[in-house]
């Protein structure tokens, strides 16, 4: 493929006094599927807006397939599609008209694939956009992004508003894109989504890239949230292998476990548990468990343009 | 009460600003008259000339007792401020009710304890607070002006004048609120409400044109306001239809709000349509497709108002021919002719404002594309921002030029049908003469879009409002030259009374082009920003 699909050097963005992104060095090779994780406000959307030339960087540079993304945006955009997380479209156009327009503007479209996507996402394309629900509008921008089969897909929390069935359809599309050799850069705050799709993961926190590696290398982040209601006082979990944080409130115990849960279960079973809940922790909980509270993330930095 | 509070807060801010403008307009009319026509003899001449002119009566409403400060002030302020207030009312109501709803801000609130009906009632209550502020500020200024020895009006009479001045705004707040329930989008609601305003104005105009149809005045909301006749011959009885209309309209608004779904319309609107992709081949085609309904509406309004002005031009011109005072007043606006042309030169100024509104509306529409995020779908694809902006501006310039031709043709058809001696080419030239100020304002709007995007629509409408007030108030009262020069309309020759001035037209367009270029460069280089 030659030049990497995405390459940034010291890419930074400051809004007023808030650093939305600080010195990002990122490289994504052609054909890779990369997840971009971080809590809300970490700088994911800012990164994508910089790559697309929608906002100007305070410092640094970005290249897409070796083309300067900031100085020659039109050329850079020929090989990519972008799917935003929240879609505002022209209310008077129908879904089909919107797709026609965006295909003509893009310059390329695989019409058979477009029709297949419309069927797969069960989109009623003859409805006007103003009659669509949020999920249906999201389907339109997803189909618009996928239908040109671009070399690079930039996706910003693309499944927001989709029901679980459609999320499955979306995952299938991403697998197909990978099989076609397309590069995918997927921003998300849902760990399981990234886990199911991506070869490599970057983790962003307070505008800085804190981790970048394969999923295997990220194993240490994998954890389970456990909530147990005990008959008596909950047991002391200090020294139990795998337990990374725990707190007690009356008879209720909450903790996070990495690796095997067996040691924890043994301790709990011995002290009489009558209810046990476990679930995948949210990304925020993971961050808290792994990095500690840290400085409060600047809540508004991620999406400065959408503050309503 | 969250919705009531939100709506009231925003309506109050706007009501406060417009109250000051209303009050200032009345103050400048009253004090300006006292200064410009200090003697009884001068005032009698003025009254004799304007009082019997069907053309001016039709445009601004009939004149009573023009030989008094009170009569002149009412004639000067009531007609103009009723329309300005009506436009304010319908835009404020549709923006704060339908606009908020379209943006999805009500969904969360209505999903809670508030019903749809309750939400509409709260919205109306908030708008009522805004109207009260508008009335309060206007009344305060008008009462203070009335106490000036030059004007000398009792506080009660001044307060009644303030009520009449705010009448148009009050009526059309209700019209806007009702249309917000009937239509499917904010823009559609505003279009319906503007149609009601246009029909009201046309009915009032025909009623006052002296052709024996005066009873039509009672069919028009603007006619009721005129019937109040504050200061000169107060008719509080006309408050009855105004009050009934407002109560019935508000009740219908609440009722209809309960009958429809949030985000839906009462008047059936097709939600599905066969694809029409003829124009959807690029950003410029999209601009044509999305702006077309609005632009056609403006064209109809411009052609119709020019036609009406043309219809009354002959009668008005005859009166002018016998007038020296009016001629002097018009001479300050640049008009020197003494025929129908002189009247047209003055009256087309109003059409120039409408053409300017069409032009700056295209700039705010471009800004809305950016603010909503719709622009992003285009510029993340191989479309440069400059290509997008240039395409939109080309569509806007075309719309303005067509509007100019329509204004000229409309005025000619109207005037020629009444046998006035006017030439078609001269009137089309006069129509096109309305374009340079509009293009200048459009260029300044692009500058605002590039440099202060979030404030751009405020800036452009402030420029239009300022230019209009300075020219209309200043032109008749005869104020400071430097002040007058800040109005783009003052730079426009009053064609067809005088020949269009190529130099000032080129200067206006030049300023517009230069501003648009600077604004365009700034726009291409800056961050895209939301609301």
């Amino acid at each position: 493929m030659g030049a990497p699909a995405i390459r940034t050097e010291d890419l930074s963005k400051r809004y007023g006094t808030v650093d939305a992104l600080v010195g990002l060095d990122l490289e994504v090779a052609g054909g890779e599927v990369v997840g971009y994780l971080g809590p809300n406000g970490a700088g994911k959307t800012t990164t994508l807006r910089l790559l697309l030339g929608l906002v100007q960087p305070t410092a640094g540079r970005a290249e897409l397939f070796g083309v300067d993304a900031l100085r020659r945006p039109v050329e850079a955009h020929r090989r990519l599609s972008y799917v935003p997380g929240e879609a505002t479209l022209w209310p008077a156009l129908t879904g089909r008209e919107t797709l026609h327009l965006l295909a003509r503007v893009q310059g390329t479209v695989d019409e058979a694939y477009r029709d297949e996507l419309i069927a797969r996402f069960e989109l009623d394309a003859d409805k006007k956009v103003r009659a669509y629900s949020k999920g249906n509008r999201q389907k339109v921008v997803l189909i618009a992004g996928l239908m040109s089969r671009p070399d690079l897909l930039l996706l910003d929390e693309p499944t927001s508003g989709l029901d679980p069935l459609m999320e499955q359809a979306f995952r299938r599309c991403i697998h197909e894109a990978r099989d076609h050799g397309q590069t995918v850069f997927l921003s998300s705050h849902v760990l399981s989504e990234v886990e199911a799709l991506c070869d490599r993961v970057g983790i962003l926190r307070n505008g800085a890239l804190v981790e970048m590696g394969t999923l295997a290398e990220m194993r240490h982040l994998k954890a389970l949230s456990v909530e147990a209601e005990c008959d008596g006082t909950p047991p002391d979990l200090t020294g139990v292998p795998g337990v990374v944080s725990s707190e007690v409130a009356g008879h209720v115990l909450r903790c996070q476990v990495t690796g095997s849960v067996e040691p924890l279960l043994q301790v709990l079973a011995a002290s009489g548990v009558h209810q046990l809940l476990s679930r995948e922790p949210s990304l925020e909980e993971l961050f808290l468990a792994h990095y500690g509270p840290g400085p409060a993330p600047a809540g508004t930095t991620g999406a400065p343009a959408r503050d309503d | 009460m969250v919705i009531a509070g939100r709506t009231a807060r925003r309506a109050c801010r706007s009501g406060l600003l417009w109250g000051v403008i209303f009050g200032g307009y009345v103050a400048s009319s009253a004090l300006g008259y006292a200064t410009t026509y200090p003697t009884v003899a001068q005032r009698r001449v003025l009254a004799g000339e304007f009082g019997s002119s069907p053309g001016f009566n039709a445009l601004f409403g009939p004149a009573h007792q023009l030989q008094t400060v009170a009569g002149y002030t009412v004639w000067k302020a009531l007609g103009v401020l009723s329309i300005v207030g009506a436009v304010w009312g319908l835009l404020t109501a549709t923006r704060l009710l339908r606009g908020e709803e379209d943006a999805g801000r009500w969904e969360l609130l209505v999903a809670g304890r508030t019903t749809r009906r309750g939400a509409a009632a709260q919205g109306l209550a908030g708008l009522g607070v805004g109207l009260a502020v508008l009335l309060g500020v206007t009344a305060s200024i008008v009462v203070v002006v009335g106490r000036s020895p030059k004007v000398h009006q009792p506080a009660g009479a001044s307060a009644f004048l303030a009520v009449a001045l705010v009448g148009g705004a009050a009526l059309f707040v209700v019209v806007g609120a009702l249309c917000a329930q009937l239509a499917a989008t904010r823009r559609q609601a505003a279009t319906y409400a503007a149609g009601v305003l246009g029909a009201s104005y046309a009915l009032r105009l025909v009623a006052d044109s002296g052709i024996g149809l005066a009873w039509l005045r009672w069919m028009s909301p603007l006619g009721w306001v005129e019937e109040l006749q504050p200061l000169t011959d107060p008719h509080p009885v006309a408050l009855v239809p105004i009050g009934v209309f407002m109560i019935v309209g508000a009740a219908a608004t609440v009722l209809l709000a309960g009958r429809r779904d949030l985000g839906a319309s009462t008047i059936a609107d097709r939600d599905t349509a066969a694809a029409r992709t003829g124009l959807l081949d690029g950003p410029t085609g999209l601009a044509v497709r999305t702006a077309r309904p609005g632009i056609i509406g403006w064209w109809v309004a411009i052609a119709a108002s020019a036609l009406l002005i043309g219809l009354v031009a002959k009668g008005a011109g005859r009166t002018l021919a016998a007038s020296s005072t009016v001629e002097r007043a018009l001479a300050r606006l640049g008009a020197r002719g003494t025929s129908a042309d002189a009247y047209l030169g003055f009256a087309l100024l109003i059409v120039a404002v409408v053409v300017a509104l069409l032009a700056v509306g295209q700039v705010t529409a471009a800004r809305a594309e950016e603010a909503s995020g719709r622009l992003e779908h285009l510029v993340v694809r191989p479309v440069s921002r400059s290509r997008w902006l240039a395409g939109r501006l080309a569509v806007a310039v075309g719309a303005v030029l067509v509007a100019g031709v329509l204004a000229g043709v409309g005025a000619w058809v109207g005037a020629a049908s009444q046998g006035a001696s006017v030439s078609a080419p001269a009137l089309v030239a006069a129509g096109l003469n309305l374009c340079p100020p509009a293009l200048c304002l459009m260029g300044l709007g692009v500058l605002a879009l590039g440099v202060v995007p979030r404030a751009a629509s405020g800036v452009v409408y402030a420029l239009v409002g300022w230019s209009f007030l300075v020219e209309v108030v200043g032109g008749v009262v005869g104020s400071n030259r430097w002040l007058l020069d800040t109005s783009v309309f003052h730079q426009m020759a009053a064609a067809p009374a005088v020949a269009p001035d190529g130099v000032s037209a080129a200067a206006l367009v030049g300023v517009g082009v230069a501003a648009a270029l600077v604004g365009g460069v700034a726009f291409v280089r800056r961050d895209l920003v939301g609301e």
Side-chain angles (χ1 to χ4, degrees):
Chain A
M1 290 293 276
I6 302 174
R7 200 171 73 84
T8 71
E9 237 174 64
D10 187 34
L11 194 61
S12 307
K13 180 67 183 178
R14 173 181 272 267
Y15 289 107
T17 57
V18 181
D19 281 312
L21 195 65
V22 189
L24 177 71
D25 293 309
L26 185 74
E27 190 163 319
V28 175
E32 261 193 303
V33 178
V34 171
Y36 200 48
L37 277 167
N40 291 328
K44 303 189 298 288
T45 301
T46 300
T47 306
L48 285 166
R49 293 176 71 81
L50 283 164
L51 289 176
L52 289 159
L54 296 176
V55 297
Q56 308 294 320
T58 317
R61 47 187 274 115
E63 282 179 5
L64 301 170
F65 297 109
V67 176
D68 191 318
L70 309 162
R71 296 216 176 83
R72 291 153 69 198
V74 172
E75 193 181 336
H77 293 174
R78 281 191 216 290
R79 295 178 69 179
L80 66 83
S81 277
Y82 163 64
V83 177
E86 198 178 318
T88 314
L89 293 161
W90 297 274
L93 302 191
T94 65
R96 198 177 301 283
E97 288 171 337
T98 307
L99 291 173
H100 174 90
L101 170 77
L102 296 179
R104 296 304 291 257
V105 171
Q106 182 74 51
T108 51
V109 60
D110 180 339
E111 285 183 10
Y113 190 46
R114 177 197 63 199
D115 294 342
E116 191 188 323
L117 289 170
I118 290 174
R120 198 185 289 177
F121 284 103
E122 296 171 11
L123 177 73
D124 180 356
D126 290 319
K127 255 192 176 178
K128 287 187 180 167
V129 165
R130 67 160 167 265
Y132 279 147
S133 65
K134 177 173 161 29
N136 275 321
R137 289 200 301 271
Q138 194 60 30
K139 288 180 193 175
V140 174
V141 288
L142 255 179
I143 295 170
L146 294 164
M147 70 186 176
S148 60
R149 294 195 187 272
D151 293 333
L152 171 61
L153 271 165
L154 295 174
L155 311 171
D156 189 8
E157 305 193 4
T159 53
S160 58
L162 291 190
D163 58 48
L165 218 58
M166 292 304 135
E167 263 184 67
Q168 285 306 314
F170 164 73
R171 290 184 186 189
R172 198 177 135 200
C173 292
I174 298 305
H175 285 302
E176 286 171 2
R178 184 219 304 266
D179 296 343
H180 270 85
Q182 292 167 262
T183 312
V184 180
F185 189 71
L186 170 67
S187 139
S188 177
H189 64 268
V190 186
L191 188 62
S192 58
E193 181 174 85
V194 168
E195 231 183 340
L197 294 171
C198 301
D199 313 320
R200 239 170 18 118
V201 183
I203 292 176
L204 203 60
R205 184 164 181 262
N206 291 334
L209 195 64
V210 289
E211 302 262 354
M212 183 85 204
T214 63
L215 276 174
E217 290 164 349
M218 297 282 161
R219 199 49 43 85
H220 65 283
L221 274 179
K222 183 105 175 96
L224 202 63
S225 268
V226 176
E227 187 178 314
E229 206 176 317
C230 305
D231 296 332
T233 310
D236 180 18
L237 297 181
T238 324
V240 178
V243 174
V244 286
S245 71
S246 68
E247 58 172 76
V248 174
H251 292 292
V252 180
L253 170 90
R254 288 189 193 86
C255 65
Q256 308 238 340
V257 191
T258 60
S260 168
V261 290
E262 208 186 334
L264 173 68
L265 285 179
Q266 280 172 358
V267 176
L268 288 176
S271 55
V273 177
H274 68 258
Q275 200 169 351
L276 189 68
L277 267 170
S278 74
R279 61 182 168 81
E280 188 184 42
S282 72
L283 205 58
E284 277 78 359
E285 288 171 310
L286 266 185
F287 274 109
L288 278 176
H290 199 77
Y291 299 104
T300 54
T301 55
R306 299 271 172 73
D307 53 6
D308 48 336
Chain B
M1 294 308 281
V2 184
I3 292 179
R6 279 183 70 112
T7 314
R9 226 174 7 253
R10 297 176 63 181
C12 282
R13 238 179 287 155
S14 176
L16 187 67
L17 172 71
W18 284 96
V20 172
I21 293 176
F22 276 33
Y25 188 85
V26 170
S28 83
S29 302
L31 301 174
Y33 175 83
T35 314
T36 316
Y37 307 104
T39 69
V40 175
Q42 284 171 319
R43 294 178 182 186
R44 284 231 175 88
V45 173
L46 176 84
E49 288 156 359
F50 274 112
S52 58
S53 162
F56 281 96
N57 281 353
L59 274 185
F60 296 118
H64 305 284
Q65 302 172 26
L66 279 188
Q67 69 278 19
T68 65
V69 179
Y72 175 82
T73 304
V74 169
W75 179 67
K76 186 75 195 306
L78 191 57
V80 171
L81 292 186
S82 292
I83 293 168
V84 172
V87 172
W88 174 83
L90 71 88
L91 287 180
T92 305
T94 49
R95 180 166 53 90
L96 294 186
L97 296 185
R98 194 72 210 200
E100 292 286 288
E101 185 182 326
D102 288 352
R105 291 191 191 103
W106 283 18
E107 260 167 52
L108 290 170
L109 301 168
V110 174
R113 263 176 305 174
T114 314
T115 60
R116 291 191 296 274
R117 204 165 276 183
Q122 286 195 33
L124 280 172
L127 289 168
V129 175
L131 269 176
V133 169
L134 175 66
L135 175 63
V137 175
T138 307
S140 315
I141 299 175
V142 170
V143 168
V144 169
V145 171
R147 292 174 67 94
S148 133
K150 283 178 179 172
V151 183
H152 197 65
Q153 286 293 328
S158 295
F160 187 65
L161 171 62
V163 168
L165 291 172
V166 175
L171 285 163
F172 279 84
V173 160
V174 174
V175 170
L178 192 57
C179 291
Q181 312 308 319
L182 296 173
T185 60
R186 182 195 64 79
R187 186 192 275 215
Q188 207 175 48
T191 310
Y192 289 173
V196 175
L197 175 59
S200 304
Y201 182 73
L203 281 174
R204 214 256 320 119
L205 188 142
V206 173
D208 290 333
S209 60
I211 50 174
L213 292 171
W215 58 271
L216 272 179
R217 202 176 294 146
W218 290 98
M219 302 288 106
S220 160
L222 291 178
W224 305 332
V225 173
E226 186 181 292
E227 234 3 274
L228 289 171
Q229 299 189 27
L231 302 192
T232 54
D233 182 17
H235 281 165
V237 68
L239 286 173
V240 173
I242 294 175
V244 169
F245 182 90
M246 289 181 66
I247 291 166
V248 171
T253 300
V254 174
L255 199 72
L256 288 174
R259 288 216 179 148
R260 68 182 177 93
D261 290 336
L262 211 57
S265 60
T266 307
I267 294 176
D269 187 54
R270 287 178 309 141
D271 274 344
T272 57
R276 290 178 295 128
T277 55
L279 285 166
L280 299 177
D281 281 344
T284 307
L286 173 70
V288 174
R289 167 82 184 261
T290 51
R292 193 171 46 187
I295 288 175
I296 291 174
W298 283 111
W299 283 346
V300 170
I302 286 163
S305 49
L307 180 76
L308 289 169
I309 288 169
L311 282 172
V312 297
K314 193 181 176 195
R318 215 176 10 234
T319 319
L320 286 184
S323 148
S324 57
T325 316
V326 177
E327 205 180 309
R328 241 187 300 139
L330 286 173
R332 289 203 194 87
L333 292 169
R336 277 174 194 83
T338 48
S339 65
D341 280 341
Y343 170 76
L344 285 170
F346 172 73
L348 281 177
L349 175 65
I350 290 168
V351 182
V353 177
V354 185
V355 176
L357 286 172
L358 155 65
V360 300
Q362 295 307 304
V363 177
T364 58
R367 167 63 196 149
E369 287 289 286
E370 180 194 359
S372 65
R374 290 191 289 261
L375 169 60
E376 288 176 18
H377 299 296
L378 303 175
V379 296
V380 300
R381 294 186 161 81
V383 170
S384 66
R385 292 190 203 177
S386 46
R387 180 180 150 205
W388 173 79
L389 185 62
R392 284 205 76 103
L393 291 178
V395 172
V397 169
V400 166
L401 293 177
V402 171
V405 172
L406 286 172
V409 171
W412 178 76
V413 169
S417 73
Q418 301 301 305
S421 57
V422 287
S423 94
L427 274 179
V428 171
L432 284 169
N433 183 53
L434 308 177
C435 299
L439 296 176
C440 181
L441 287 166
M442 194 161 91
L444 294 171
V446 176
L447 181 61
L449 173 76
V451 180
V452 284
R454 286 198 171 95
S457 42
V459 168
V460 292
Y461 285 118
L463 281 174
V464 177
W466 171 259
S467 292
F468 173 67
L469 286 178
V470 165
E471 178 64 359
V472 168
V473 180
V476 175
V477 177
S479 44
N480 186 298
R481 230 192 84 222
W482 296 100
L483 187 71
L484 281 172
D485 276 340
T486 62
S487 165
V488 293
F489 300 121
H490 189 67
Q491 311 302 328
M492 178 185 84
V498 297
D501 176 358
V503 176
S504 53
L508 282 171
V509 174
V511 168
V513 170
L517 284 174
V518 175
V521 169
F523 171 70
V524 169
R525 291 190 178 167
R526 69 168 167 80
D527 294 353
L528 292 188
V529 292
E531 273 168 41

